[in-house]
Amino acid sequence: MTAESLQPTAVTDWSLRLGLAPEDAPAALRGSGGLLEFNRRIALGRARSLDVSEFAAVLWRRRLSTMTVMSLLHTPLSMELGGGDVGGTGGDEVVVATVGTSMVIESADGHTEMHRPDQLIVFASGARHRLVTNGVAEVTALRMSFVEFGSARALLRNCGGLAVMDSFLAQTVARSIRGFGAGVIGAPPSESTAAAEFAILELLSAAAAEATARRTSASSSTQQVQRETQELIERHYRDPEFSPTAIADRLHLSRRQFYRHFENSDRGVAELIADRRLQAARTLLVSNPEASIASVARASGFGSLGPFRLRFRRAFGMGPNEFRDTMADAAAH
């Protein structure tokens, strides 16, 4: 099986995991028409394929008493979530998914995160994110209302509508969901199916409560990291090599851990550093009228003149020379 194709053997293996007889396996959706039908059936947003002619997918759904269970197998695609009233439900539903391959998750503000196969993804049906798979992906997803999974609201409230959970409990729940999906999709209704359904809801609630508690306890450490970041910027912004990575290293945090403390901030760390350098440049342009623009850029922490001019004009609506002349004229009058 290549990263771009959906081989018959892969579909057969997928069907067997779901307990489907070969004659019951769904027909593959292929090409542009198949992609349209795929979007209609999953109703999560808009899936796109880099090569529509190579698109292929198989899917199976089953409606239970509190949720819809979906199992998908598809070629590489990008999924734009939350493009309006998704599936006619707006943001009133929550989707829990586990993906059997690595996946890139991109938020509306451009922040990206790599999802691992052992992680659990929870998102509101109206969340505005993009999910990208680069290989053939097997997905198990549960779709339900917030009434059934009420603890998801608190979890998703402060993370843009999508949360990735990777604790030991979340990984256990992800594996349980894969087993649950395989167990109920191809099986006839039974009391054991209903019991398993409610057991999954209990596990999801526990994982969501744990993740919410972790985010709450991390809020105080977030304030500390943000405060120490501001202090480090104030002390080192004049160094052209000073960067968000340098701050993370000084705070003994991985880049991923460090950036998480600024997920809900109005401005990113790189912007905070650039803003401080621009403030210094404005002061130097006025207080040192004889200094060259290049020397002002260097003294403010900019490694080269081009980016300095570009950022200055973007921030203040005029270039540094024009700014200096404008301030000189204002002082003369």
Side-chain angles (χ1 to χ4, degrees), residues 3 5 21 45 56 83 97 134-135 196 242-243 301 321:
S5 62
N134 295 316
F242 184 68
S243 66
N321 280 317

Side-chain angles (χ1 to χ4, degrees), residues 180-315:
F180 172 70
V184 302
I185 285 182
S190 67
E191 290 185 5
S192 61
T193 299
E197 179 181 1
F198 289 107
I200 284 291
L201 285 174
E202 289 293 324
L203 285 172
L204 286 174
S205 296
E210 177 195 53
T212 301
R214 287 188 172 193
R215 293 183 67 90
T216 301
S217 64
S219 62
S220 58
S221 61
T222 291
Q223 293 173 1
Q224 180 179 350
V225 168
Q226 291 179 352
R227 182 174 62 253
E228 292 180 357
T229 296
Q230 289 286 3
E231 293 172 355
L232 286 169
I233 291 174
E234 190 61 33
R235 281 159 36 199
H236 299 286
Y237 72 88
R238 296 181 185 86
D239 178 2
E241 300 299 320
F242 184 68
S243 66
T245 300
I247 298 175
D249 290 342
R250 287 173 182 268
L251 297 179
H252 306 290
L253 296 171
S254 69
R255 291 183 62 185
R256 181 182 178 188
Q257 290 172 325
F258 177 62
Y259 282 123
R260 277 184 173 178
H261 292 289
F262 292 86
E263 285 179 343
N264 297 317
S265 299
D266 294 333
R267 302 184 72 74
V269 182
E271 290 178 298
L272 294 175
I273 296 172
D275 287 349
R276 185 61 187 92
R277 288 170 174 165
L278 288 171
Q279 292 172 15
R282 283 188 57 165
T283 301
L284 289 173
L285 285 169
V286 176
S287 62
N288 295 275
E290 302 303 321
S292 68
I293 301 301
S295 65
V296 168
R298 287 193 300 271
S300 303
F302 288 94
S304 57
L305 192 55
F308 168 62
R309 290 185 183 276
L310 182 64
R311 282 189 173 274
F312 195 96
R313 182 174 294 279
R314 187 182 300 158

Side-chain angles (χ1 to χ4, degrees), residues 3 11 22 32-33 40 98 106 148 157 162 164 168 170 192-193 217 229 259 268 327:
V11 177
S32 58
R40 186 190 70 79
T98 175
E106 181 178 325
E148 305 296 344
R157 185 175 297 120
L162 184 147
V164 177
F168 178 77
S192 61
T193 299
S217 64
T229 296
Y259 282 123
M327 297 302 293

Side-chain angles (χ1 to χ4, degrees), residues 27-59 73-80 133:
L29 304 172
R30 298 186 182 276
S32 58
L35 184 58
L36 288 172
E37 180 64 15
F38 179 80
N39 280 318
R40 186 190 70 79
R41 292 190 191 180
I42 64 172
L44 294 177
R46 178 171 296 178
R48 302 175 186 273
S49 176
L50 289 178
D51 187 348
V52 176
S53 65
E54 292 294 327
F55 172 79
V58 286
L59 64 92
L73 185 69
H74 59 73
T75 51
L77 55 77
S78 66
M79 172 69 72
E80 303 280 350
T133 57

